[in-house]
Amino acid sequence: KMEDATTKPKRAASIMPHRHEVEGAETSTLSMDLVGFTKVATKTIKPIYTKILEMKFIEELLAGSLDRDIMARYLVQDSLYLKQYAKVLALIAAKSDDRKYVC
Protein backbone atom coordinates (compact mmCIF):
# COMPACT_ATOMS: atom_id res chain seq x y z
CA LYS A 1 0.00 0.00 0.00
CA MET A 2 1.40 3.39 -0.98
CA GLU A 3 1.33 6.17 1.58
CA ASP A 4 -0.17 9.52 0.67
CA ALA A 5 1.00 12.91 1.96
CA THR A 6 -1.30 12.73 5.00
CA THR A 7 0.05 9.40 6.24
CA LYS A 8 3.04 9.48 8.55
CA PRO A 9 5.85 7.11 7.57
CA LYS A 10 6.58 4.27 9.98
CA ARG A 11 9.51 4.82 12.33
CA ALA A 12 12.58 2.68 11.90
CA ALA A 13 13.20 0.21 14.70
CA SER A 14 15.52 1.66 17.31
CA ILE A 15 18.59 -0.11 18.64
CA MET A 16 18.23 1.86 21.88
CA PRO A 17 15.86 0.60 24.58
CA HIS A 18 12.58 2.45 24.95
CA ARG A 19 12.58 5.05 27.71
CA HIS A 20 10.40 2.88 29.95
CA GLU A 21 13.10 0.19 29.78
CA VAL A 22 15.80 2.49 31.19
CA GLU A 23 16.01 2.40 34.96
CA GLY A 24 15.10 5.74 36.47
CA ALA A 25 14.03 7.38 33.21
CA GLU A 26 10.87 9.47 33.38
CA THR A 27 8.41 9.42 30.49
CA SER A 28 6.64 12.72 31.01
CA THR A 29 8.97 15.23 29.30
CA LEU A 30 11.45 15.46 26.48
CA SER A 31 14.23 16.32 28.93
CA MET A 32 13.60 13.05 30.75
CA ASP A 33 13.76 11.20 27.42
CA LEU A 34 17.18 12.75 26.94
CA VAL A 35 18.26 11.73 30.44
CA GLY A 36 17.25 8.14 29.71
CA PHE A 37 19.00 8.22 26.37
CA THR A 38 22.14 9.68 27.96
CA LYS A 39 22.23 6.90 30.57
CA VAL A 40 21.96 4.22 27.91
CA ALA A 41 24.42 5.90 25.54
CA THR A 42 27.00 6.44 28.29
CA LYS A 43 26.82 2.81 29.39
CA THR A 44 26.95 1.55 25.80
CA ILE A 45 29.93 3.67 24.74
CA LYS A 46 32.07 3.21 27.89
CA PRO A 47 34.41 0.48 26.50
CA ILE A 48 35.05 2.51 23.33
CA TYR A 49 35.53 5.74 25.29
CA THR A 50 38.09 4.02 27.53
CA LYS A 51 40.05 2.85 24.47
CA ILE A 52 39.96 6.39 23.03
CA LEU A 53 41.47 7.79 26.24
CA GLU A 54 44.26 5.19 25.99
CA MET A 55 45.26 6.27 22.46
CA LYS A 56 48.84 7.51 22.07
CA PHE A 57 47.59 10.79 20.54
CA ILE A 58 45.40 11.54 23.57
CA GLU A 59 48.05 10.49 26.09
CA GLU A 60 50.68 12.70 24.44
CA LEU A 61 48.22 15.58 24.09
CA LEU A 62 47.39 15.41 27.80
CA ALA A 63 51.05 15.11 28.76
CA GLY A 64 52.01 18.08 26.60
CA SER A 65 54.42 15.95 24.57
CA LEU A 66 52.49 15.72 21.28
CA ASP A 67 54.66 16.55 18.28
CA ARG A 68 53.82 20.01 16.84
CA ASP A 69 53.45 18.65 13.28
CA ILE A 70 50.98 16.01 14.44
CA MET A 71 48.99 18.64 16.31
CA ALA A 72 49.01 20.97 13.30
CA ARG A 73 47.71 18.18 11.05
CA TYR A 74 45.00 17.36 13.60
CA LEU A 75 43.89 21.00 13.74
CA VAL A 76 43.63 21.19 9.94
CA GLN A 77 41.60 17.97 9.79
CA ASP A 78 39.40 19.07 12.68
CA SER A 79 38.74 22.40 10.97
CA LEU A 80 37.67 20.62 7.76
CA TYR A 81 35.38 18.34 9.74
CA LEU A 82 33.80 21.19 11.70
CA LYS A 83 33.08 23.17 8.53
CA GLN A 84 31.17 20.22 7.09
CA TYR A 85 29.43 19.52 10.41
CA ALA A 86 28.23 23.13 10.55
CA LYS A 87 26.71 22.71 7.09
CA VAL A 88 24.87 19.58 8.20
CA LEU A 89 23.50 21.31 11.31
CA ALA A 90 22.39 24.31 9.25
CA LEU A 91 20.60 22.00 6.81
CA ILE A 92 18.83 20.19 9.64
CA ALA A 93 17.78 23.49 11.19
CA ALA A 94 16.49 24.79 7.85
CA LYS A 95 14.39 21.66 7.32
CA SER A 96 13.03 21.44 10.86
CA ASP A 97 9.32 22.07 11.28
CA ASP A 98 9.66 22.69 15.02
CA ARG A 99 11.78 25.75 15.80
CA LYS A 100 11.65 24.88 19.51
CA TYR A 101 14.33 22.25 18.93
CA VAL A 102 16.50 24.22 16.50
CA CYS A 103 17.90 26.99 18.73
Side-chain angles (χ1 to χ4, degrees):
K1 172 183 166 186
M2 298 215 31
E3 297 182 64
D4 63 31
T6 61
T7 307
K8 286 187 176 181
K10 291 182 180 178
R11 270 191 150 164
S14 174
I15 61 168
M16 301 299 288
H18 293 286
R19 62 190 147 171
H20 64 273
E21 297 173 332
V22 178
E23 184 180 332
E26 300 289 335
T27 59
S28 60
T29 66
L30 176 63
S31 64
M32 289 298 112
D33 276 349
L34 294 176
V35 169
F37 170 80
T38 301
K39 285 181 181 180
V40 172
T42 301
K43 183 178 178 182
T44 303
I45 198 70
K46 188 171 183 173
I48 296 168
Y49 182 67
T50 300
K51 287 187 183 252
I52 290 170
L53 293 178
E54 294 169 350
M55 292 175 68
K56 183 180 176 183
F57 176 88
I58 301 297
E59 289 177 346
E60 290 179 2
L61 179 65
L62 292 172
S65 60
L66 186 63
D67 182 89
R68 290 179 75 92
D69 290 337
I70 293 172
M71 186 64 190
R73 182 171 179 224
Y74 166 78
L75 290 173
V76 168
Q77 292 299 312
D78 194 48
S79 173
L80 295 171
Y81 166 78
L82 291 173
K83 286 178 186 177
Q84 295 304 312
Y85 187 66
K87 290 178 186 178
V88 169
L89 290 180
L91 183 60
I92 291 169
K95 291 183 175 231
S96 177
D97 291 335
D98 194 341
R99 294 291 171 207
K100 177 168 86 173
Y101 299 113
V102 174
C103 299

XYZ file of all heavy atoms in Angstrom:
814
model
N 0.840 -1.180 0.000
C 0.000 0.000 0.000
C 0.885 1.244 0.000
O 1.766 1.399 0.808
C -0.895 -0.038 1.235
C -1.687 1.203 1.467
C -2.482 1.071 2.746
C -3.002 2.421 3.150
N -3.641 2.404 4.431
N 0.619 2.153 -0.899
C 1.402 3.387 -0.979
C 0.844 4.395 0.011
O -0.351 4.498 0.209
C 1.347 3.957 -2.396
C 1.948 3.005 -3.386
S 2.828 3.730 -4.746
C 3.513 5.197 -4.222
N 1.743 5.152 0.621
C 1.327 6.167 1.578
C 1.099 7.485 0.858
O 1.849 7.841 -0.032
C 2.408 6.347 2.642
C 2.643 5.094 3.458
C 3.688 5.326 4.531
O 3.424 6.148 5.426
O 4.740 4.699 4.454
N 0.043 8.192 1.243
C -0.168 9.518 0.669
C 0.454 10.565 1.585
O 1.030 10.245 2.605
C -1.662 9.783 0.419
C -2.488 9.784 1.704
O -1.940 10.161 2.758
O -3.655 9.417 1.639
N 0.352 11.821 1.214
C 1.001 12.907 1.956
C 0.467 13.070 3.371
O 1.117 13.670 4.211
C 0.860 14.213 1.184
N -0.731 12.559 3.659
C -1.302 12.729 4.999
C -0.939 11.578 5.934
O -1.223 11.642 7.111
C -2.839 12.833 4.915
O -3.343 11.624 4.346
C -3.261 14.027 4.091
N -0.313 10.548 5.419
C 0.054 9.401 6.239
C 1.485 9.551 6.712
O 2.374 9.830 5.925
C -0.060 8.094 5.418
O -1.349 8.034 4.841
C 0.189 6.890 6.279
N 1.683 9.391 8.013
C 3.036 9.481 8.551
C 3.791 8.197 8.227
O 3.253 7.105 8.360
C 2.995 9.660 10.068
C 2.570 11.029 10.503
C 2.730 11.161 11.991
C 2.392 12.566 12.420
N 2.549 12.738 13.850
N 5.057 8.317 7.814
C 5.849 7.113 7.571
C 6.114 6.374 8.874
O 6.167 6.979 9.939
C 7.151 7.645 6.966
C 7.201 9.076 7.324
C 5.792 9.541 7.560
N 6.287 5.065 8.795
C 6.582 4.272 9.984
C 7.995 4.583 10.443
O 8.886 4.805 9.645
C 6.452 2.783 9.666
C 5.037 2.362 9.403
C 4.985 0.880 9.159
C 3.545 0.472 8.886
N 3.439 -0.946 8.595
N 8.193 4.589 11.760
C 9.511 4.819 12.330
C 10.372 3.580 12.190
O 9.894 2.465 12.332
C 9.390 5.118 13.818
C 9.234 6.553 14.136
C 9.408 6.704 15.600
N 9.947 8.018 15.823
C 9.942 8.603 16.985
N 9.458 8.001 18.019
N 10.438 9.799 17.123
N 11.634 3.799 11.949
C 12.579 2.676 11.895
C 12.752 2.122 13.297
O 12.673 2.842 14.287
C 13.917 3.152 11.359
N 12.983 0.841 13.397
C 13.205 0.210 14.698
C 14.459 0.802 15.326
O 15.457 1.027 14.662
C 13.350 -1.291 14.530
N 14.398 1.061 16.606
C 15.517 1.662 17.315
C 16.385 0.581 17.945
O 15.881 -0.423 18.419
C 14.983 2.587 18.410
O 16.041 3.067 19.187
N 17.698 0.815 17.951
C 18.588 -0.110 18.643
C 18.701 0.253 20.115
O 19.228 -0.512 20.894
C 19.991 -0.147 18.005
C 20.656 1.227 18.071
C 19.939 -0.677 16.598
C 22.120 1.217 17.725
N 18.196 1.426 20.482
C 18.228 1.861 21.876
C 16.968 1.366 22.578
O 15.911 1.319 21.975
C 18.283 3.391 21.965
C 19.481 4.015 21.274
S 21.054 3.489 21.940
C 21.029 4.337 23.481
N 17.060 1.018 23.852
C 15.861 0.604 24.578
C 14.858 1.754 24.661
O 15.232 2.914 24.614
C 16.379 0.273 25.975
C 17.849 0.196 25.861
C 18.247 0.993 24.657
N 13.598 1.419 24.758
C 12.579 2.449 24.949
C 12.769 3.078 26.315
O 13.288 2.457 27.236
C 11.176 1.843 24.839
C 10.876 1.367 23.459
N 10.604 2.220 22.427
C 10.842 0.118 22.934
C 10.390 1.532 21.325
N 10.535 0.249 21.601
N 12.336 4.323 26.465
C 12.581 5.050 27.708
C 12.040 4.329 28.931
O 12.613 4.413 29.999
C 12.033 6.454 27.622
C 10.551 6.502 27.423
C 10.074 7.873 27.101
N 8.941 7.647 26.217
C 8.127 8.545 25.821
N 8.286 9.759 26.189
N 7.134 8.263 25.041
N 10.939 3.581 28.794
C 10.398 2.883 29.954
C 11.248 1.670 30.334
O 11.067 1.099 31.391
C 8.936 2.466 29.721
C 8.770 1.468 28.622
N 8.631 1.848 27.309
C 8.753 0.113 28.645
C 8.508 0.757 26.571
N 8.592 -0.303 27.341
N 12.215 1.314 29.491
C 13.102 0.193 29.783
C 14.399 0.649 30.463
O 15.204 -0.177 30.864
C 13.459 -0.550 28.491
C 12.264 -1.175 27.822
C 12.611 -1.758 26.460
O 13.541 -1.269 25.807
O 11.934 -2.717 26.074
N 14.588 1.959 30.584
C 15.800 2.493 31.194
C 15.504 2.825 32.642
O 14.617 3.616 32.939
C 16.273 3.770 30.453
C 17.503 4.341 31.121
C 16.534 3.451 28.997
N 16.246 2.207 33.536
C 16.008 2.402 34.958
C 16.107 3.874 35.338
O 17.067 4.552 34.984
C 17.043 1.609 35.755
C 16.823 1.681 37.246
C 17.861 0.883 38.005
O 18.385 -0.098 37.448
O 18.135 1.255 39.149
N 15.104 4.374 35.999
C 15.105 5.742 36.475
C 14.680 6.788 35.460
O 14.586 7.952 35.775
N 14.416 6.406 34.228
C 14.027 7.382 33.209
C 12.549 7.722 33.347
O 11.715 6.847 33.493
C 14.304 6.841 31.815
N 12.249 8.997 33.331
C 10.867 9.466 33.377
C 10.316 9.503 31.962
O 11.069 9.669 31.007
C 10.806 10.866 33.991
C 11.330 10.943 35.393
C 10.435 10.265 36.416
O 9.227 10.155 36.165
O 10.952 9.830 37.445
N 9.004 9.404 31.823
C 8.407 9.416 30.490
C 7.583 10.666 30.218
O 7.001 10.787 29.166
C 7.499 8.183 30.309
O 6.481 8.216 31.308
C 8.293 6.901 30.397
N 7.559 11.603 31.155
C 6.642 12.718 31.007
C 7.154 13.883 30.159
O 6.359 14.632 29.628
C 6.245 13.247 32.393
O 7.384 13.668 33.083
N 8.461 14.067 30.039
C 8.967 15.227 29.304
C 10.108 14.838 28.380
O 10.760 13.814 28.562
C 9.500 16.316 30.262
O 10.647 15.790 30.933
C 8.455 16.764 31.254
N 10.345 15.694 27.393
C 11.447 15.462 26.476
C 12.772 15.420 27.225
O 13.614 14.584 26.956
C 11.493 16.552 25.401
C 12.661 16.465 24.432
C 12.579 15.170 23.625
C 12.683 17.651 23.509
N 12.954 16.305 28.200
C 14.226 16.323 28.929
C 14.471 14.991 29.624
O 15.600 14.524 29.701
C 14.276 17.477 29.924
O 13.288 17.319 30.911
N 13.433 14.354 30.119
C 13.598 13.054 30.750
C 13.920 11.987 29.714
O 14.672 11.062 29.986
C 12.346 12.666 31.547
C 12.154 13.473 32.808
S 13.525 13.243 33.971
C 14.272 14.846 33.947
N 13.373 12.122 28.495
C 13.759 11.205 27.421
C 15.251 11.312 27.177
O 15.931 10.310 26.974
C 13.020 11.541 26.122
C 11.641 10.916 26.053
O 11.323 10.064 26.899
O 10.894 11.286 25.137
N 15.766 12.536 27.178
C 17.184 12.750 26.935
C 18.029 12.199 28.071
O 19.111 11.666 27.841
C 17.469 14.230 26.718
C 16.863 14.828 25.449
C 17.124 16.325 25.387
C 17.378 14.142 24.205
N 17.545 12.304 29.299
C 18.264 11.734 30.442
C 18.352 10.226 30.286
O 19.413 9.629 30.463
C 17.578 12.114 31.779
C 18.148 11.307 32.933
C 17.722 13.605 32.039
N 17.244 9.591 29.927
C 17.251 8.144 29.707
C 18.177 7.748 28.586
O 18.946 6.789 28.703
N 18.122 8.494 27.495
C 19.002 8.221 26.365
C 20.457 8.367 26.779
O 21.301 7.535 26.443
C 18.697 9.156 25.189
C 19.734 9.065 24.105
C 19.702 8.031 23.191
C 20.748 10.001 24.022
C 20.678 7.916 22.203
C 21.729 9.906 23.040
C 21.684 8.864 22.126
N 20.762 9.425 27.528
C 22.136 9.676 27.957
C 22.658 8.534 28.821
O 23.797 8.106 28.667
C 22.225 11.018 28.705
O 21.785 12.055 27.835
C 23.642 11.303 29.169
N 21.810 8.030 29.722
C 22.233 6.904 30.566
C 22.580 5.685 29.718
O 23.601 5.040 29.919
C 21.124 6.536 31.556
C 20.976 7.499 32.696
C 19.871 7.038 33.630
C 19.686 8.001 34.774
N 18.619 7.562 35.689
N 21.726 5.374 28.768
C 21.961 4.216 27.912
C 23.188 4.437 27.029
O 24.042 3.556 26.900
C 20.716 3.902 27.043
C 21.021 2.817 26.023
C 19.557 3.480 27.927
N 23.292 5.616 26.436
C 24.415 5.903 25.544
C 25.736 5.859 26.299
O 26.727 5.298 25.807
C 24.222 7.263 24.869
N 25.775 6.430 27.487
C 26.997 6.439 28.294
C 27.434 5.022 28.639
O 28.619 4.674 28.520
C 26.789 7.262 29.580
O 26.426 8.591 29.212
C 28.031 7.301 30.433
N 26.499 4.194 29.047
C 26.819 2.811 29.390
C 27.286 2.038 28.150
O 28.240 1.271 28.210
C 25.589 2.123 29.996
C 25.844 0.718 30.448
C 24.605 0.111 31.090
C 24.866 -1.329 31.495
N 23.690 -1.954 32.069
N 26.632 2.263 27.024
C 26.947 1.549 25.795
C 28.334 1.916 25.259
O 29.068 1.053 24.786
C 25.881 1.850 24.722
O 24.606 1.481 25.232
C 26.146 1.084 23.450
N 28.698 3.174 25.351
C 29.935 3.668 24.738
C 31.155 3.535 25.651
O 32.291 3.686 25.194
C 29.750 5.146 24.288
C 30.809 5.569 23.277
C 29.767 6.083 25.467
C 30.666 4.926 21.955
N 30.967 3.207 26.917
C 32.071 3.213 27.888
C 33.303 2.430 27.435
O 34.427 2.949 27.532
C 31.594 2.716 29.250
C 32.647 2.899 30.315
C 32.129 2.612 31.688
C 33.243 2.891 32.690
N 32.814 2.813 34.040
N 33.195 1.193 26.924
C 34.411 0.477 26.496
C 35.156 1.191 25.366
O 36.391 1.230 25.355
C 33.897 -0.884 26.025
C 32.539 -1.027 26.609
C 32.010 0.367 26.790
N 34.422 1.788 24.450
C 35.048 2.512 23.334
C 35.702 3.790 23.847
O 36.830 4.120 23.476
C 34.008 2.814 22.237
C 33.488 1.510 21.646
C 34.592 3.723 21.159
C 32.272 1.660 20.761
N 35.000 4.500 24.727
C 35.531 5.740 25.291
C 36.830 5.473 26.052
O 37.798 6.231 25.933
C 34.480 6.378 26.201
C 34.898 7.699 26.796
C 35.068 8.818 25.993
C 35.118 7.826 28.159
C 35.456 10.036 26.536
C 35.502 9.037 28.704
C 35.671 10.136 27.895
O 36.058 11.332 28.434
N 36.874 4.391 26.793
C 38.085 4.023 27.532
C 39.245 3.792 26.572
O 40.363 4.259 26.810
C 37.821 2.757 28.381
O 36.771 3.039 29.308
C 39.066 2.338 29.138
N 38.992 3.097 25.459
C 40.054 2.853 24.467
C 40.522 4.160 23.824
O 41.705 4.326 23.541
C 39.583 1.866 23.404
C 39.497 0.451 23.928
C 39.191 -0.514 22.814
C 39.046 -1.886 23.377
N 40.133 -2.773 23.062
N 39.584 5.084 23.602
C 39.959 6.385 23.034
C 40.917 7.113 23.974
O 41.928 7.663 23.546
C 38.708 7.238 22.743
C 37.927 6.642 21.570
C 39.080 8.695 22.481
C 36.559 7.254 21.359
N 40.610 7.108 25.265
C 41.467 7.795 26.236
C 42.848 7.160 26.336
O 43.801 7.818 26.760
C 40.793 7.808 27.607
C 39.531 8.652 27.711
C 38.941 8.547 29.105
C 39.785 10.100 27.336
N 42.977 5.893 25.938
C 44.260 5.193 25.987
C 45.079 5.358 24.698
O 46.194 4.849 24.613
C 44.025 3.702 26.265
C 43.446 3.441 27.647
C 42.965 2.004 27.840
O 42.910 1.238 26.845
O 42.631 1.668 28.977
N 44.541 6.078 23.725
C 45.263 6.273 22.462
C 46.516 7.118 22.699
O 46.520 8.046 23.519
C 44.367 6.965 21.432
C 43.211 6.106 20.963
S 42.094 6.998 19.852
C 43.158 7.196 18.426
N 47.570 6.791 21.952
C 48.840 7.510 22.070
C 48.652 9.010 21.848
O 49.203 9.830 22.579
C 49.838 6.937 21.070
C 51.204 7.560 21.144
C 52.155 6.940 20.132
C 53.493 7.647 20.154
N 54.404 7.126 19.138
N 47.844 9.383 20.838
C 47.594 10.790 20.541
C 47.033 11.506 21.770
O 47.507 12.585 22.147
C 46.611 10.902 19.367
C 46.211 12.319 19.040
C 46.972 13.078 18.167
C 45.077 12.892 19.609
C 46.604 14.386 17.865
C 44.708 14.190 19.311
C 45.476 14.939 18.440
N 46.032 10.918 22.406
C 45.397 11.542 23.572
C 46.370 11.608 24.743
O 46.468 12.637 25.430
C 44.115 10.775 23.976
C 43.111 10.746 22.827
C 43.511 11.344 25.254
C 42.593 12.094 22.392
N 47.086 10.507 24.974
C 48.046 10.492 26.088
C 49.114 11.560 25.913
O 49.443 12.277 26.855
C 48.671 9.106 26.222
C 47.694 8.069 26.744
C 48.269 6.673 26.812
O 49.345 6.412 26.207
O 47.642 5.824 27.472
N 49.651 11.693 24.697
C 50.675 12.703 24.442
C 50.102 14.117 24.502
O 50.763 15.041 24.991
C 51.361 12.449 23.099
C 52.231 11.209 23.106
C 52.895 10.938 21.773
O 52.721 11.728 20.808
O 53.612 9.915 21.678
N 48.872 14.276 24.022
C 48.219 15.584 24.091
C 48.058 16.016 25.547
O 48.398 17.149 25.921
C 46.853 15.525 23.396
C 46.021 16.793 23.396
C 46.705 17.886 22.585
C 44.635 16.515 22.830
N 47.586 15.106 26.377
C 47.387 15.414 27.799
C 48.702 15.660 28.534
O 48.761 16.480 29.446
C 46.601 14.291 28.480
C 45.145 14.145 28.045
C 44.521 12.890 28.638
C 44.340 15.378 28.422
N 49.742 14.963 28.106
C 51.047 15.110 28.755
C 51.813 16.329 28.246
O 52.845 16.704 28.803
C 51.878 13.843 28.535
N 51.315 16.934 27.165
C 52.008 18.077 26.597
C 53.206 17.686 25.748
O 54.065 18.522 25.464
N 53.270 16.426 25.339
C 54.421 15.952 24.572
C 54.082 15.617 23.118
O 54.914 15.055 22.403
C 55.012 14.708 25.255
O 54.047 13.670 25.329
N 52.896 16.010 22.661
C 52.486 15.722 21.285
C 53.316 16.547 20.308
O 53.486 17.757 20.490
C 50.993 16.041 21.111
C 50.373 15.672 19.773
C 50.426 14.161 19.543
C 48.924 16.148 19.714
N 53.849 15.889 19.301
C 54.656 16.547 18.278
C 53.855 17.686 17.630
O 52.677 17.529 17.322
C 55.064 15.510 17.225
C 55.945 16.105 16.154
O 57.168 16.103 16.333
O 55.379 16.547 15.132
N 54.500 18.832 17.403
C 53.824 20.007 16.838
C 53.232 19.728 15.452
O 52.153 20.198 15.126
C 54.794 21.190 16.758
C 55.150 21.746 18.116
C 56.129 22.910 17.986
N 55.482 24.112 17.516
C 54.967 25.046 18.316
N 55.030 24.895 19.611
N 54.423 26.125 17.805
N 53.945 18.965 14.627
C 53.450 18.647 13.277
C 52.185 17.783 13.336
O 51.268 17.969 12.543
C 54.528 17.942 12.449
C 55.680 18.871 12.083
O 55.468 20.108 12.072
O 56.776 18.355 11.808
N 52.176 16.855 14.270
C 50.984 16.007 14.438
C 49.808 16.861 14.904
O 48.686 16.724 14.403
C 51.265 14.847 15.417
C 52.284 13.895 14.791
C 49.976 14.119 15.789
C 52.799 12.809 15.723
N 50.058 17.768 15.829
C 48.990 18.644 16.315
C 48.494 19.560 15.203
O 47.280 19.768 15.059
C 49.486 19.468 17.509
C 48.407 20.290 18.160
S 47.134 19.214 18.864
C 45.897 20.413 19.255
N 49.398 20.085 14.409
C 49.006 20.968 13.305
C 48.127 20.210 12.304
O 47.112 20.739 11.845
C 50.243 21.530 12.615
N 48.513 18.987 11.983
C 47.711 18.176 11.052
C 46.324 17.905 11.643
O 45.316 17.988 10.952
C 48.424 16.861 10.736
C 47.658 16.026 9.755
C 48.460 14.832 9.287
N 47.642 14.062 8.370
C 47.537 12.766 8.380
N 48.219 12.057 9.243
N 46.763 12.141 7.522
N 46.287 17.590 12.936
C 45.005 17.357 13.603
C 44.117 18.596 13.510
O 42.928 18.499 13.208
C 45.215 16.968 15.071
C 43.944 17.042 15.866
C 42.989 16.036 15.771
C 43.665 18.136 16.681
C 41.794 16.114 16.473
C 42.485 18.221 17.390
C 41.552 17.214 17.280
O 40.374 17.297 17.964
N 44.677 19.764 13.768
C 43.888 20.999 13.736
C 43.330 21.283 12.344
O 42.187 21.725 12.209
C 44.714 22.177 14.242
C 45.033 22.151 15.746
C 45.991 23.274 16.108
C 43.763 22.209 16.577
N 44.110 21.008 11.310
C 43.625 21.191 9.938
C 42.468 20.229 9.671
O 41.414 20.618 9.159
C 44.765 20.981 8.913
C 44.221 20.883 7.497
C 45.784 22.112 9.025
N 42.652 18.963 10.021
C 41.603 17.966 9.789
C 40.347 18.292 10.597
O 39.225 18.157 10.112
C 42.107 16.561 10.150
C 43.185 16.050 9.225
C 42.702 15.950 7.782
O 41.634 15.424 7.516
N 43.487 16.479 6.863
N 40.538 18.726 11.833
C 39.396 19.069 12.675
C 38.639 20.257 12.099
O 37.411 20.283 12.099
C 39.872 19.372 14.100
C 38.736 19.396 15.091
O 37.911 18.452 15.081
O 38.659 20.358 15.877
N 39.356 21.231 11.587
C 38.735 22.397 10.971
C 37.889 21.998 9.761
O 36.756 22.471 9.598
C 39.818 23.393 10.552
O 39.255 24.443 9.810
N 38.423 21.105 8.930
C 37.666 20.625 7.764
C 36.403 19.897 8.206
O 35.323 20.088 7.644
C 38.544 19.706 6.908
C 39.748 20.367 6.248
C 40.653 19.309 5.617
C 39.301 21.391 5.221
N 36.532 19.072 9.213
C 35.376 18.341 9.742
C 34.327 19.312 10.287
O 33.136 19.188 9.988
C 35.824 17.376 10.847
C 34.678 16.847 11.668
C 33.864 15.835 11.178
C 34.381 17.394 12.914
C 32.791 15.362 11.914
C 33.315 16.924 13.652
C 32.525 15.912 13.157
O 31.458 15.459 13.886
N 34.747 20.263 11.087
C 33.802 21.192 11.705
C 33.070 22.049 10.673
O 31.891 22.365 10.853
C 34.505 22.063 12.738
C 34.961 21.323 13.999
C 35.797 22.237 14.878
C 33.778 20.744 14.763
N 33.745 22.420 9.598
C 33.078 23.174 8.529
C 31.945 22.357 7.915
O 30.848 22.868 7.678
C 34.081 23.583 7.443
C 34.985 24.711 7.855
C 35.977 25.041 6.750
C 36.976 26.072 7.212
N 37.980 26.357 6.194
N 32.203 21.081 7.659
C 31.166 20.221 7.089
C 30.058 19.950 8.094
O 28.869 19.913 7.753
C 31.774 18.898 6.594
C 32.746 19.075 5.452
C 32.127 19.804 4.270
O 31.040 19.482 3.820
N 32.820 20.816 3.768
N 30.421 19.765 9.354
C 29.429 19.521 10.411
C 28.502 20.721 10.558
O 27.290 20.569 10.724
C 30.159 19.228 11.723
C 29.253 18.803 12.848
C 28.561 17.595 12.798
C 29.102 19.599 13.976
C 27.736 17.205 13.838
C 28.282 19.212 15.018
C 27.602 18.010 14.946
O 26.789 17.629 15.973
N 29.056 21.919 10.469
C 28.233 23.129 10.550
C 27.223 23.177 9.412
O 26.070 23.580 9.604
C 29.125 24.368 10.536
N 27.635 22.748 8.223
C 26.707 22.712 7.086
C 25.564 21.735 7.341
O 24.413 22.023 7.032
C 27.446 22.316 5.807
C 28.397 23.371 5.287
C 29.106 22.860 4.049
C 30.174 23.796 3.570
N 30.884 23.263 2.391
N 25.895 20.583 7.899
C 24.868 19.583 8.198
C 23.877 20.127 9.227
O 22.659 20.006 9.061
C 25.507 18.269 8.696
C 24.461 17.320 9.251
C 26.292 17.606 7.578
N 24.388 20.746 10.285
C 23.498 21.311 11.308
C 22.616 22.412 10.731
O 21.431 22.507 11.066
C 24.317 21.840 12.487
C 24.993 20.797 13.354
C 25.774 21.479 14.475
C 24.006 19.803 13.929
N 23.170 23.239 9.873
C 22.386 24.305 9.245
C 21.280 23.715 8.376
O 20.146 24.216 8.369
C 23.290 25.217 8.421
N 21.592 22.664 7.649
C 20.596 22.001 6.811
C 19.478 21.400 7.652
O 18.291 21.547 7.334
C 21.260 20.918 5.956
C 20.366 20.176 4.977
C 19.750 21.140 3.963
C 21.159 19.101 4.256
N 19.836 20.756 8.741
C 18.831 20.187 9.644
C 17.946 21.293 10.204
O 16.722 21.166 10.236
C 19.504 19.389 10.776
C 20.146 18.121 10.217
C 18.505 19.056 11.883
C 21.062 17.412 11.196
N 18.552 22.376 10.636
C 17.783 23.493 11.193
C 16.841 24.077 10.147
O 15.683 24.387 10.437
C 18.732 24.571 11.723
N 17.312 24.216 8.922
C 16.488 24.786 7.850
C 15.297 23.896 7.520
O 14.231 24.390 7.168
C 17.336 25.009 6.600
N 15.463 22.594 7.654
C 14.395 21.662 7.317
C 13.475 21.332 8.485
O 12.442 20.697 8.296
C 14.987 20.362 6.757
C 15.626 20.546 5.412
C 16.130 19.241 4.855
C 16.648 19.455 3.463
N 16.095 18.538 2.518
N 13.821 21.766 9.681
C 13.028 21.438 10.861
C 11.697 22.180 10.855
O 11.622 23.361 10.549
C 13.798 21.807 12.116
O 12.995 21.553 13.251
N 10.661 21.464 11.173
C 9.325 22.067 11.284
C 9.095 22.656 12.668
O 8.185 23.446 12.863
C 8.239 21.005 11.029
C 8.223 20.553 9.596
O 8.660 21.324 8.719
O 7.775 19.426 9.341
N 9.881 22.267 13.638
C 9.661 22.687 15.023
C 10.833 23.524 15.492
O 11.855 23.009 15.905
C 9.465 21.475 15.916
C 8.912 21.826 17.273
O 9.016 23.018 17.683
O 8.375 20.929 17.941
N 10.703 24.837 15.435
C 11.783 25.748 15.803
C 12.185 25.625 17.275
O 13.274 26.020 17.652
C 11.375 27.200 15.506
C 11.202 27.454 14.027
C 12.538 27.395 13.340
N 12.355 27.438 11.900
C 13.198 26.918 11.061
N 14.275 26.325 11.478
N 12.979 26.971 9.759
N 11.333 25.058 18.092
C 11.647 24.884 19.510
C 12.915 24.051 19.701
O 13.662 24.251 20.641
C 10.452 24.207 20.192
C 10.645 23.901 21.645
C 9.333 23.511 22.296
C 9.031 22.045 22.143
N 7.865 21.607 22.898
N 13.186 23.127 18.789
C 14.331 22.247 18.931
C 15.523 22.673 18.078
O 16.541 22.019 18.088
C 13.930 20.810 18.566
C 12.847 20.300 19.462
C 11.578 20.039 18.961
C 13.086 20.076 20.806
C 10.572 19.576 19.791
C 12.084 19.617 21.642
C 10.839 19.372 21.134
O 9.849 18.915 21.962
N 15.430 23.777 17.386
C 16.502 24.220 16.502
C 17.492 25.120 17.248
O 18.687 25.012 17.093
C 15.947 24.960 15.260
C 17.064 25.547 14.438
C 15.110 24.003 14.436
N 17.028 26.011 18.067
C 17.895 26.992 18.735
C 18.472 26.466 20.019
O 18.007 25.715 20.697
C 17.134 28.269 19.014
S 16.552 29.004 17.471
